[in-house]
Amino acid sequence: MVLIIAEKPSLARNIAAGIGQMARRDGYLEGEGYLVTWAFGHLFSLCDIEAYNPAPPEANGHWCMENLPCLPTKFNFELRRGNDKQPDAGVEKQFATIRALCHRPDVDTIVNAGDADREGEIIVRLCVMHADPPKDKQYKRLWLPDQTPETVAAALADMKDSKEYRNLANEGFARTYIDWLYGVNLTRYATLKLGPLLRVGRVIVPIVRAIYDRDLAIRNFVPSKYYAIISNAETNGEAVELKSERKYELSDAVKANNCCIMYNRRGATVTGVKKKKDTLAPGKLFSLSKLQNLLGKKHKMSMSDSLEIIQGLYEKGYLTYPRTNSEYLATAEKDKIKKIIGQVSGLGYPVTFKDSKKIFDDSKIESHSALTPTYKIPKKGELTDRENLVYSTVFRRFVAVFCAEPCIGERTEITIQVGEYETFTLKGLVIAEKGWMKYDDATQKDKMLPKLQKGDAVNVDFKPVEKETSPPKHYTIETLNNYLKNPFREEKAAIDEETEDDDTEEYRAILEGLELGTEATRTGIIDNARKSEYIALNKDVYTILPGGEYLIESLERLQIRMDKHRTSEMGRALKRVFRGEMTVEESVALAANEVREVFDKKDMPIEEDREIGLFGDDVGACPLCGKQVTRGRFSYGCRGYKDGCDFRVNLFICGRPISISNVKLLLTEGRTAKIKGFVSKKSGKSFDARLKLQDGKAVFDFED
């Protein structure tokens, strides 16, 4: 008997459909020599800190500094609990079913049928590890690129030994341990230090940081004005726009005018007209992020909404596995693609098989091929409007890529010479035969040029036109996704690469691990940032929220470095685990060392004079009313504020943290020690001073 453990009930049902008639039992299905049971996604989660480092009794169940940092040498899992931290009866019952089936004497083979990714791999592995079946059973892996019955049946006949997926599992476990080390330790530390819950994670912080930096650049942008040299004169009844590459400061108005006079005197002549027919290539098949980019840009669909729909279409068998970072197909899939083309052709679409490196390229596939429709075509009325929108986007791109009708365009390039001063080039494109463009959303509009011939004189009337530099643009779903795929590439290069055939740099970054997050995790992390009110999404534009500003600025004050460089370094380490070049333990040690560095800074000597204590720490008696002064979120403030006492000392003054020891001196002796490193907000210069009490307020004291 073969036991198949699926990641979730919907997958179990689809596997059963591929097997044939199966009887329903309590928590599993049985028939045709198979048992099919399921998890509910993660049945197991990593134990919390208290399982390794118990908190002291005085913590009374609350987070505390005494058991931080927690850097386990061996990580332990437990059955997932509910939001109230109590055992989940449904989880416990289902795992009991899995364990009992693993121990059935007639079961000789156990099959991991987690989703075809690293997370699905470890979800089922953890179930089997904790079920601890007898050692004489075989272990197989069911790898499903889609969930159609035919694919399930073919995959069941070609299962590989689970050992072949060991590196994938190792990467999954390493990622889980590393994210726990960062997230649990640093979230507790930052929250205890600052008061409000701050979600500090390996990927969420650099994502919020990118949006913060961009919005800050927009906010602080000071536009500068300049003169552009432009002519819009008509020739043969058509306007010919010529924009010079020369620019002049507003203070150089005389130079700008002289340039225009000089250009206008010389006049302009058409020195060349080139026209050529060109076959335009369709867009590439979709990776998950490229599909989300288009859906966000065109239909203002959030990443979480689009992923939910795409995942649902996959589970219904209409689309292939969604969490893919590739826009290419594997060469081993050619026969499968021929069958899909046959189905699509039967619907009247002019498609044909194309054996091209631009479509099939194993070197640009890590685990999963591009998103495509399956041979299972939905019937009219089977999909909701939003499902149909997403499905048809993928379907039409597939038709465009394999379309038998070429898209023919006529490209025109006109060069116009203004004396010996400057050459202008005008480029246009007119679509002669639409071909695949009839089916794909990404249609290209005609760009018409004036009817000019070589040797024609072109009327010019150059004038200095006042222009203003533009601020950076807010991140959109598309531009943020492009940034996260390779955060070290210039945004213009990312945009240019969308339209170029050579995407080698993009795939090098993906395969090397430079990206922030993965196709499988990125959507959920961005959604968590939205739910945490760090960022907002309006239509398809991301902006920073006050909570996000507070997160980033607070981490800077705590000297917690969680940026794209550190996250990418860890991403590269995880890829090395996947390739078998590094052990799980070695990659986890890297993260543990970085977490340890944060806590080493926490224990700096007091003479460093930057220790601000913990949120809620008592500091001393208020000089105004005698009640207790307490360390708060933004200041040391009097608890008598409800009775009208307004005494407080800001945590940060002129860019300098005010230590808890100095505030104690201020309250007991009326004066702090000399504090070095204040920065004047007006001049930007550094200065040293003490703080003293004056009329119940903390003011600078420059006396020695």
Side-chain angles (χ1 to χ4, degrees):
M1 188 75 76
V2 176
L3 169 63
I4 300 174
I5 305 173
E7 181 174 328
K8 53 178 80 87
S10 60
L11 177 55
R13 288 192 296 270
N14 289 338
I15 291 171
I19 292 172
Q21 294 297 319
M22 301 192 78
R24 183 68 187 258
R25 309 291 189 216
D26 187 10
Y28 67 100
L29 300 158
E30 184 172 2
E32 305 293 333
Y34 290 94
L35 303 169
V36 180
T37 189
W38 52 85
F40 303 132
H42 288 278
L43 288 189
F44 288 86
S45 59
L46 282 167
C47 295
D48 222 331
I49 283 177
E50 285 68 28
Y52 308 98
N53 298 343
E58 56 268 27
N60 198 27
H62 298 295
W63 291 354
C64 64
M65 281 289 188
E66 285 73 17
N67 59 357
L68 295 177
C70 182
L71 308 171
T73 54
K74 182 179 182 300
F75 288 86
N76 299 320
F77 290 85
E78 63 181 358
L79 276 174
R80 193 182 76 212
R81 295 172 176 265
N83 292 332
D84 58 359
K85 301 299 183 182
Q86 297 303 307
D88 186 309
V91 167
E92 290 185 336
K93 180 182 178 183
Q94 191 59 25
F95 177 65
T97 299
I98 292 171
R99 182 166 51 198
L101 293 173
C102 284
H103 283 267
R104 266 181 51 161
D106 59 342
V107 170
D108 54 28
T109 302
I110 298 174
V111 178
N112 181 337
D115 271 357
D117 57 24
R118 62 183 66 83
E119 189 173 13
E121 182 68 29
I122 68 171
I123 282 173
V124 176
R125 280 190 181 236
L126 283 168
C127 290
V128 176
M129 286 164 54
H130 286 84
D132 193 23
K135 306 299 182 188
D136 59 348
K137 298 183 188 292
Q138 295 186 70
Y139 296 92
K140 299 287 186 181
R141 181 57 156 110
L142 183 65
W143 192 263
L144 296 173
D146 65 61
Q147 294 190 21
T148 58
E150 184 176 291
T151 297
V152 170
L156 284 169
D158 188 32
M159 290 189 293
K160 295 179 180 177
D161 194 289
S162 64
K163 290 179 182 177
E164 295 196 28
Y165 297 87
R166 183 180 296 150
N167 284 349
L168 181 69
N170 286 342
E171 185 192 359
F173 282 120
R175 188 180 297 275
T176 300
Y177 300 154
I178 287 167
D179 286 346
W180 187 93
L181 284 172
Y182 283 120
V184 173
N185 282 290
L186 299 185
T187 292
R188 288 194 181 200
Y189 175 58
T191 300
L192 286 167
K193 291 288 280 184
L194 298 167
L197 174 64
L198 292 178
R199 301 185 190 280
V200 184
R202 185 177 62 88
V203 179
I204 192 173
V205 171
I207 288 175
V208 176
R209 176 94 215 194
I211 297 168
Y212 169 87
D213 287 345
R214 177 61 57 85
D215 281 23
L216 217 61
I218 295 169
R219 194 180 303 165
N220 296 331
F221 179 79
V222 179
S224 60
K225 294 183 178 181
Y226 64 94
Y227 284 120
I229 307 303
I230 300 173
S231 170
N232 270 306
E234 288 189 358
T235 298
N236 300 329
E238 293 182 286
V240 180
E241 185 180 57
L242 301 178
K243 294 182 180 179
S244 174
E245 293 183 358
R246 298 191 183 196
K247 294 178 181 178
Y248 293 91
E249 301 290 334
L250 290 189
S251 58
D252 290 332
V254 173
K255 289 183 180 179
N257 273 310
N258 288 340
C259 177
C260 292
I261 292 168
M262 184 171 62
Y263 276 30
N264 291 334
R265 281 177 179 168
R266 292 294 290 167
T269 305
V270 177
T271 56
V273 177
K274 296 179 182 177
K275 291 188 178 183
K276 68 170 184 176
K277 289 281 184 77
D278 194 7
T279 301
L280 306 181
K284 288 176 284 200
L285 296 169
F286 286 117
S287 64
L288 174 61
S289 59
K290 293 296 174 66
L291 176 58
Q292 289 178 310
N293 286 353
L294 191 148
L295 293 171
K297 185 175 184 178
K298 183 166 184 172
H299 303 290
K300 312 306 177 192
M301 190 180 291
S302 73
M303 289 177 65
S304 56
D305 286 349
S306 61
L307 179 58
E308 182 180 354
I309 295 169
I310 297 163
Q311 178 71 24
L313 291 168
Y314 162 66
E315 292 178 4
K316 291 176 181 178
Y318 297 128
L319 293 181
T320 55
Y321 182 74
R323 291 175 173 83
T324 174
N325 55 19
S326 182
E327 299 156 282
Y328 293 85
L329 299 171
T331 54
E333 296 179 295
K334 290 179 181 178
D335 287 341
K336 183 184 83 170
I337 295 301
K338 288 176 183 177
K339 179 172 182 179
I340 298 172
I341 287 172
Q343 295 286 105
V344 173
S345 178
L347 297 175
Y349 292 94
V351 288
T352 186
F353 180 75
K354 298 176 183 177
D355 194 350
S356 167
K357 188 80 170 177
K358 293 180 179 179
I359 302 172
F360 297 93
D361 190 344
D362 292 339
S363 70
K364 293 175 179 174
I365 298 172
E366 185 178 44
S367 297
H368 295 285
S369 294
L371 258 166
T372 70
T374 67
Y375 72 88
K376 183 181 176 185
I377 309 292
K379 295 181 175 63
K380 187 176 181 180
E382 284 185 336
L383 302 181
T384 66
D385 288 346
R386 282 164 67 82
E387 284 178 327
N388 190 61
L389 187 153
V390 173
Y391 178 81
S392 62
T393 301
V394 178
F395 183 88
R396 287 197 298 269
R397 177 59 60 87
F398 184 86
V399 171
V401 168
F402 289 101
C403 187
E405 300 173 353
C407 177
I408 307 297
E410 184 176 77
R411 296 187 185 275
T412 303
E413 184 176 295
I414 301 174
T415 52
I416 298 174
Q417 187 71 33
V418 177
E420 66 277 15
Y421 303 125
E422 191 168 352
T423 301
F424 296 83
T425 303
L426 308 180
K427 294 182 179 181
L429 172 66
V430 176
I431 305 301
E433 300 174 28
K434 281 196 168 185
W436 59 261
M437 207 173 276
K438 291 184 288 187
Y439 307 102
D440 195 8
D441 275 344
T443 55
Q444 188 163 359
K445 295 180 180 178
D446 290 352
K447 183 179 179 183
M448 308 290 289
L449 294 180
K451 297 178 179 62
L452 296 172
Q453 302 298 323
K454 185 176 180 180
D456 284 355
V458 178
N459 296 326
V460 292
D461 183 18
F462 284 99
K463 296 176 181 177
V465 179
E466 188 175 305
K467 297 279 188 178
E468 190 174 86
T469 55
S470 300
K473 295 184 183 298
H474 288 288
Y475 275 115
T476 64
I477 290 175
E478 180 180 22
T479 57
L480 182 64
N481 255 337
N482 288 339
Y483 168 79
L484 297 177
K485 287 174 82 71
N486 184 351
F488 304 101
R489 175 179 52 175
E490 293 294 327
E491 187 166 317
K492 183 179 183 302
I495 295 169
D496 290 345
E497 201 164 77
E498 293 285 316
T499 59
E500 291 178 359
D501 289 337
D502 187 6
D503 51 15
T504 304
E505 173 64 19
E506 178 178 349
Y507 280 90
R508 184 196 65 78
I510 291 171
L511 298 175
E512 189 180 328
L514 289 174
E515 58 184 342
L516 300 181
T518 66
E519 301 284 342
T521 62
R522 200 174 289 135
T523 298
I525 294 169
I526 292 174
D527 205 39
N528 281 339
R530 290 174 60 199
K531 290 176 180 176
S532 301
E533 298 185 343
Y534 296 151
I535 60 174
L537 178 65
N538 183 19
K539 295 184 178 178
D540 72 328
V541 175
Y542 290 109
T543 52
I544 198 73
L545 292 175
E549 293 184 27
Y550 182 74
L551 170 73
I552 298 304
E553 292 167 5
S554 297
L555 295 183
E556 286 180 349
R557 291 167 183 165
L558 294 176
Q559 300 182 65
I560 295 177
R561 179 192 155 211
M562 194 65 62
D563 56 22
K564 66 181 183 180
H565 299 281
R566 178 156 290 186
T567 299
S568 290
E569 286 169 13
M570 198 52 60
R572 284 196 290 266
L574 289 168
K575 290 299 181 188
R576 292 186 66 195
V577 173
F578 176 67
R579 294 193 296 268
E581 300 166 0
M582 178 182 277
T583 66
V584 173
E585 292 74 21
E586 287 169 338
S587 67
V588 171
L590 292 175
N593 288 337
E594 291 180 353
V595 171
R596 192 178 287 109
E597 284 177 13
V598 173
F599 286 88
D600 287 345
K601 292 174 186 174
K602 171 183 78 74
D603 297 325
M604 285 190 300
I606 196 66
E607 48 267 32
E608 289 288 337
D609 197 22
R610 291 179 176 272
E611 176 56 58
I612 59 174
L614 301 179
F615 179 83
D617 280 352
D618 289 336
V619 182
C622 174
L624 298 182
C625 70
K627 292 185 178 179
Q628 190 61 238
V629 173
T630 304
R631 221 296 329 255
R633 181 174 176 178
F634 299 107
S635 64
Y636 303 93
C638 179
R639 287 185 179 174
Y641 70 93
K642 291 183 179 179
D643 300 321
C645 183
D646 62 356
F647 178 79
R648 67 173 186 162
V649 179
N650 288 340
L651 279 176
F652 292 83
I653 298 176
C654 289
R656 179 66 163 78
I658 308 303
S659 70
I660 199 166
S661 60
N662 266 319
V663 176
K664 287 179 178 179
L665 283 173
L666 185 71
L667 296 178
T668 56
E669 301 181 16
R671 193 177 189 220
T672 69
K674 180 174 280 190
I675 301 172
K676 297 182 178 181
F678 290 113
V679 178
S680 170
K681 293 181 180 178
K682 290 184 178 179
S683 68
K685 294 181 179 179
S686 177
F687 65 94
D688 305 333
R690 299 174 190 265
L691 296 177
K692 67 178 181 180
L693 285 177
Q694 182 175 303
D695 299 327
K697 296 183 183 299
V699 298
F700 287 119
D701 179 5
F702 295 100
E703 295 181 11
D704 287 336

